[in-house]
């Protein structure tokens, strides 16, 4: 499975943390740190944006299952 993208995510997550530290420091808060929720929220927002772009480009489709969980399928190219 080609889903191990931890190496690709490291610079992205590093920049999220760096930006959050600058924001917190600018607000004169202590400790100057980035919470797990902020990092995961930013990653999730970026993933959602990528999913929406894939849908807009016609590469994937989506629907909700009975539990309202989004499900995705790859559009078959003819």
């Amino acid at each position: 499975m080609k889903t191990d993208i931890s190496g690709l995510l490291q610079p992205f997550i590093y920049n999220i943390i760096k930006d959050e530290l600058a924001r917190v420091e600018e607000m004169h808060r202590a400790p100057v740190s980035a919470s797990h929720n902020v990092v995961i929220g930013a990653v999730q927002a970026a993933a959602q944006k990528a999913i929406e772009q894939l849908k807009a480009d016609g590469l994937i489709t989506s629907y909700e299952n009975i539990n309202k969980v989004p499900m995705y399928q790859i559009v078959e190219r003819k």
Side-chain angles (χ1 to χ4, degrees):
M1 188 184 291
K2 299 178 183 179
T3 57
D4 182 12
I5 61 167
S6 59
L8 296 173
L9 285 175
Q10 286 179 357
F12 178 61
I13 292 172
Y14 180 86
N15 285 324
I16 291 169
I17 293 169
K18 185 177 174 182
D19 291 348
E20 179 64 6
L21 295 180
R23 187 186 73 79
V24 170
E25 189 169 33
E26 187 176 292
M27 295 173 59
H28 303 289
R29 288 197 172 162
V32 177
S33 57
S35 75
H36 179 78
N37 290 343
V38 167
V39 174
I40 296 303
V43 172
Q44 186 176 20
Q48 186 61 42
K49 185 175 179 181
I51 288 168
E52 293 304 320
Q53 188 61 53
L54 287 166
K55 288 168 53 177
D57 292 345
L59 297 172
I60 65 171
T61 61
S62 67
Y63 64 94
E64 289 184 348
N65 70 9
I66 195 168
N67 297 316
K68 303 291 184 192
V69 175
M71 307 294 284
Y72 304 100
Q73 294 177 325
I74 294 176
V75 174
E76 295 293 324
R77 297 286 182 186
K78 293 181 181 182

